[in-house]
């Protein structure tokens, strides 16, 4: 019976069917992710209430369990001491892929030297934001083409494939821009009392300072 209906209605039926199925899987995935995060928060609170907070390894593992990043223990303890500890941990954890901590000197530094420049950080955020709108427009255009043409044709198949690729690229651009924005605003706010390589988050270390730091780590 299904084959008969499909033959009568033609390939146009494939598009709404595919969208419904994709929507069901997306809803299921979002619900599962929400439950996973809720369970992680519950587990974290249970552990936090029972464990010894003086244990550095436990503190690091507990924060990793909730925020998804392996933050250094000295940084964690500094952030916990802030008036808005949860917000501070969340902001720094989200931006942690862009910054790091020198274990030998205890100094924070940008992983990429260009990020020491506020101007570069600003233009890079604008670049990723522009990329998001461009990729999102490409995804919408591909969906429109996919709906208009025969879903079984090469153009139809490629349109839905491009829609998926553009959608993933749009999401990636949005996350990169948000992470850099969080790093540019949140990280300096919560770490201004800590030492930064070069003196501050806007002052890269000189060549001599970098060589001295490498010698200390090698020694």
């Amino acid at each position: 019976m299904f084959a008969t209906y499909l033959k009568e209605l033609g390939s146009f039926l494939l598009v709404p069917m595919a969208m419904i199925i994709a929507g069901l899987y997306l809803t299921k995935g979002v619900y599962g992710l929400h439950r996973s995060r809720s369970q992680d928060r519950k587990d974290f609170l249970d552990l936090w209430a029972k464990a010894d907070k003086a244990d550095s390894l436990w503190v690091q593992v507990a924060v990793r369990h909730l925020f998804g990043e392996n933050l250094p223990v000295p940084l964690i303890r500094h952030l916990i001491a802030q008036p808005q500890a949860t917000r501070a941990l969340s902001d720094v954890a989200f931006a942690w892929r862009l910054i790091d901590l020198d274990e030998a000197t205890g100094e924070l530094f940008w992983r990429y030297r260009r990020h020491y420049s506020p101007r570069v950080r600003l233009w890079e955020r604008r670049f990723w934001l522009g990329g998001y709108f461009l990729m999102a427009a490409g995804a919408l255009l591909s969906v429109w083409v996919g709906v208009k043409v025969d879903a079984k044709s090469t153009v139809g198949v490629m349109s839905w494939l491009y829609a998926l690729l553009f959608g993933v690229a749009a999401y990636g651009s949005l996350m990169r821009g948000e992470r850099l924005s969080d790093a540019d605003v949140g990280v300096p706010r919560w770490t201004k009392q800590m030492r930064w390589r070069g003196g501050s988050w806007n002052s890269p270390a000189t060549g001599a300072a970098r060589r001295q730091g490498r010698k200390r780590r090698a020694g």
Side-chain angles (χ1 to χ4, degrees), residues 197-211:
R197 181 179 295 175
S200 77
W201 51 89
N202 290 330
S203 302
T206 62
R210 291 198 301 273
R211 288 192 295 270

Side-chain angles (χ1 to χ4, degrees), residues 92-128:
V92 175
F94 184 61
W96 187 244
R97 298 182 186 183
L98 299 177
I99 60 176
D100 206 343
L101 180 76
D102 189 327
E103 295 83 1
T105 63
E107 297 172 333
L108 292 168
F109 62 93
W110 292 100
R111 294 176 187 259
Y112 304 101
R113 185 174 172 81
R114 67 178 184 273
H115 288 154
Y116 277 101
S117 170
R119 185 184 298 273
V120 171
R121 296 199 301 267
L122 174 62
W123 281 105
E124 191 169 329
R125 293 204 312 272
R126 291 176 176 174
F127 171 81
W128 290 120

Side-chain angles (χ1 to χ4, degrees), residues 134-144 159 162-168 170:
L134 183 62
M135 295 298 105
L140 292 176
L141 178 61
S142 298
V143 170
W144 181 81
S159 295
Y162 277 122
L164 177 62
L165 294 176
F166 278 127
V168 172

Side-chain angles (χ1 to χ4, degrees), residues 4-65:
T4 303
Y5 281 121
L6 183 61
K7 183 177 180 180
E8 291 295 330
L9 294 176
S11 60
F12 182 75
L13 182 63
L14 293 176
V15 175
M17 286 179 59
M19 295 179 68
I20 292 173
I21 294 174
L24 291 175
Y25 276 104
L26 179 61
T27 302
K28 183 178 179 181
V30 171
Y31 177 71
L33 180 61
H34 176 71
R35 286 195 59 188
S36 176
R37 289 181 176 177
S38 298
Q39 186 63 38
D40 284 345
R41 287 192 292 268
K42 182 178 181 299
D43 293 342
F44 172 82
L45 293 174
D46 290 342
L47 289 171
W48 190 264
K50 298 174 183 177
D52 179 13
K53 301 174 184 60
D55 186 341
S56 296
L57 178 60
W58 178 88
V59 169
Q60 190 173 35
V61 171
V63 171
R64 170 68 174 84
H65 186 68

